[in-house]
Amino acid sequence: MLEEVERWLSTRSWSATDRPLHHILAAKQRSGQSVSVVLPALNEEETVGDIVAIIRHDLMQQVPLVDEIVVVDSGSTDRTSQVAAAAGATVVHRDAILPRMPAVPGKGEVLWRSLLVTTGDIVCFIDADLKEFSSDFVSGIVGPLLTDPGVDLVKGMYDRPLGGAAGQGGRVTELMARPLLNMHWPQLAGFVQPLGGEYAARRSLLEQLPFPVGYGVELGMLVDALHLVGLDALAQVDVGVRKHRHQDGQALGRMSAAIYRTAQLRLARGHLVRPALTQFERGEDGFEPRTYSVDTEERPPMVEIAEYAKRKVA
């Protein structure tokens, strides 16, 4: 491991308990910064309501840490929107944001569009499929941004159990993302959960970053933030244990392909590989190929979008 990374681990890796909530609140009041929480959601009616309700109770009603909770529904066919609204979130459909640019499927697309429907100086992203959720996920990763002006982006780190086995979740992280980062961006080797969906950043950083539209968004954001603001502006906070719905192996394969593609674009702009992935499923006549396109599109930095610039002036 690079000496720079070892130093970073000792100075930019914290526990949520390192910053008591009253210290975070005092820092928020002094700075006057506002905090938005965004949940990207697709068919998450079983979990999204509990997450919203806990954040509202703990961090809006009990203490004034969070200023708004926005759930961006990316085309749910269940009751995700109704459940989220009933729990107290502002719900916006992905397709209603920036309608002149037709939306494409993907998590990154939703996160990018969320910048147009939130107002916070700090934006905190939380996945909508978390179980046994704790508001420490929000206060823990928002805390460094409110207390340390030198920090621009904070990732959550946590244990990810799989089938009762500790630390066996995050298979795409261990098999794809971590090797890529260690080999090509070794300064980022200290991140425990580089692909984790729980992180917070200053709007002033997010609006300057391109957003891969799909699953490559977390890796792309880390790499681009490193080049834009440097390693010392990035941090991570231990928030305990993350329990969520796990995907099957083929879905993880498609996720891995998108992440590799995101990395490849950053390593060699203009040098294109075949943006497709063929997987196999057993059918009546043996194994049948299924070919999926790999996300290649990226949205430009939000500061380049006229509607966003107009909103900032207003």
Side-chain angles (χ1 to χ4, degrees):
M1 182 177 290
L2 297 176
E3 288 185 10
E4 180 182 9
V5 177
E6 291 182 352
R7 178 191 55 77
W8 178 85
L9 281 169
S10 66
T11 60
R12 285 290 186 263
S13 291
W14 299 294
S15 167
T17 58
D18 291 337
R19 290 174 174 81
L21 190 54
H22 67 277
H23 287 174
I24 298 172
L25 287 168
K28 181 177 190 281
Q29 292 168 354
R30 287 194 302 270
S31 68
Q33 296 178 91
S34 55
V35 176
S36 299
V37 174
V38 172
L39 279 72
L42 177 63
N43 294 329
E44 304 294 357
E45 67 176 4
E46 293 184 4
T47 50
V48 68
D50 287 343
I51 297 171
V52 170
I54 289 169
I55 296 172
R56 276 189 57 81
H57 176 268
D58 293 359
L59 302 179
M60 297 182 80
Q61 296 169 347
Q62 296 287 97
V63 298
L65 179 63
V66 171
D67 297 282
E68 63 178 351
I69 306 174
V70 177
V71 171
V72 183
D73 190 330
S74 57
S76 297
T77 56
D78 65 3
R79 298 183 62 255
T80 290
S81 290
Q82 297 93 315
V83 171
T90 298
V91 179
V92 186
H93 195 282
R94 173 200 62 197
D95 296 346
I97 307 170
L98 200 62
R100 72 172 176 85
M101 294 180 66
V104 298
K107 180 183 179 182
E109 177 83 354
V110 173
L111 300 184
W112 181 73
R113 289 175 184 262
S114 75
L115 297 180
L116 270 164
V117 293
T118 52
T119 60
D121 303 300
I122 293 169
V123 182
C124 175
F125 298 117
I126 300 290
D127 280 351
D129 65 342
L130 302 188
K131 302 173 182 177
E132 300 178 27
F133 178 76
S134 166
S135 59
D136 289 345
F137 273 67
V138 174
S139 57
I141 57 180
V142 165
L145 293 162
L146 290 169
T147 59
D148 189 336
V151 174
D152 288 331
L153 184 150
V154 181
K155 296 282 293 188
M157 57 176 167
Y158 28 68
D159 294 318
R160 297 183 68 179
L162 175 64
Q168 295 303 305
R171 291 161 287 173
V172 174
T173 294
E174 300 304 329
L175 297 175
M176 175 60 70
R178 199 177 308 285
L180 281 172
L181 292 175
N182 276 263
M183 287 187 288
H184 298 296
W185 296 281
Q187 286 178 294
L188 298 174
F191 278 94
V192 175
Q193 297 291 352
L195 300 185
E198 290 69 46
Y199 50 97
R202 300 190 191 281
R203 178 177 294 272
S204 57
L205 170 62
L206 293 171
E207 66 187 12
Q208 297 182 70
L209 299 177
F211 276 61
V213 298
Y215 285 119
V217 63
E218 274 86 19
L219 183 135
M221 188 178 295
L222 264 188
V223 170
D224 293 339
L226 173 68
H227 290 300
L228 192 62
V229 296
L231 182 60
D232 279 345
L234 313 180
Q236 61 185 351
V237 172
D238 187 347
V239 292
V241 179
R242 183 186 196 267
K243 297 181 180 180
H244 65 112
R245 171 175 46 82
H246 292 283
Q247 302 197 52
D248 63 35
Q250 293 212 333
L252 296 178
R254 297 190 289 274
M255 188 184 303
S256 296
I259 289 164
Y260 178 79
R261 173 63 172 167
T262 299
Q264 189 269 339
L265 282 173
R266 280 152 179 77
L267 288 168
R269 294 283 182 179
H271 174 64
L272 303 181
V273 295
R274 178 174 173 264
L277 174 72
T278 298
Q279 297 177 319
F280 293 87
E281 297 177 8
R282 184 182 289 279
E284 293 181 0
D285 300 319
F287 286 102
E288 301 174 355
R290 300 283 189 272
T291 299
Y292 301 87
S293 61
V294 174
D295 294 319
T296 59
E297 190 170 355
E298 297 197 3
R299 294 303 191 186
M302 189 57 79
V303 290
E304 297 177 10
I305 300 299
E307 289 88 339
Y308 186 80
K310 186 183 299 182
R311 191 192 77 163
K312 291 191 72 175
V313 170

